[in-house]
Amino acid sequence: MPFSSLDPSTYFDDADPAVLVALFSDRARREPALHASLNRLVGNRWEQAEQRMDALFRAALTLGSLPEVDWDWMSLATQLLGSSELRLWTDLMLDCAMVAFPLQSASLIVEVSERLGELVESISQYDGPERQSRLAAACDRLASGALMNGF
């Protein structure tokens, strides 16, 4: 049973992140407000998106591995997802985390989701070279597993 390096008292079963991702994927696909942006962002690559989301959550929670970061996907996400979509994304993640995890673990999942949303939103406020610079820094931060640190 793995535990979170961010909070060693938070344990979860190996299957819990996969259950979370499956629940979230199902809910996000059925959400009308996300339909247009997710069609452009994910298209018909849901399985690949789910695998990467699972890897990102596992890496952020356990710090046991580094996630693969797709720069093209991150760039597209910063263009397509506005504040309202990101807030809805986080709300859906909260609902799904409460089903898939115990309360304390669910709060950690929501924190990861919120940090990721804040990161995407902080990049989307810029254009041109500044956006590219911030996107590169964000991708490096994600790829290094540093999403949950304060830097």
Side-chain angles (χ1 to χ4, degrees):
M1 179 181 296
F3 66 91
S4 170
S5 299
L6 301 169
D7 182 0
S9 66
T10 303
Y11 292 89
F12 54 92
D13 291 331
D14 285 332
D16 288 348
V19 169
L20 170 73
V21 169
L23 285 169
F24 178 78
S25 177
D26 181 58
R27 292 277 310 273
R29 289 184 212 203
R30 291 187 285 127
E31 179 57 52
L34 293 175
H35 190 73
S37 57
L38 287 178
N39 274 345
R40 291 194 58 210
L41 187 62
V42 178
N44 63 356
R45 299 176 299 154
W46 278 97
E47 184 176 357
Q48 180 185 18
E50 289 169 357
Q51 289 171 350
R52 288 191 177 193
M53 184 184 290
D54 182 64
L56 177 68
F57 277 112
R58 287 178 190 276
L61 289 172
T62 66
L63 305 176
S65 64
L66 299 178
E68 284 185 43
V69 178
D70 185 335
W71 285 51
D72 292 332
W73 187 89
M74 279 292 292
S75 178
L76 190 56
T78 63
Q79 296 169 33
L80 294 175
L81 299 173
S83 295
S84 60
E85 288 97 353
L86 291 168
R87 184 75 240 160
L88 181 55
W89 187 284
T90 303
D91 291 345
L92 286 175
M93 187 59 69
L94 170 63
D95 291 344
C96 296
M98 295 298 286
V99 171
F101 287 91
L103 183 59
Q104 188 172 354
S105 300
S107 68
L108 195 53
I109 290 289
V110 171
E111 187 175 351
V112 170
S113 178
E114 287 176 345
R115 293 258 180 112
L116 185 58
E118 290 167 1
L119 189 63
V120 169
E121 189 171 11
S122 72
I123 297 166
S124 66
Q125 299 172 9
Y126 297 92
D127 289 319
E130 182 66 21
R131 176 182 275 204
Q132 291 303 315
S133 174
R134 289 178 180 268
L135 178 63
C139 288
D140 289 345
R141 182 176 173 189
L142 287 172
S144 71
L147 176 64
M148 296 306 290
N149 72 17
F151 304 106

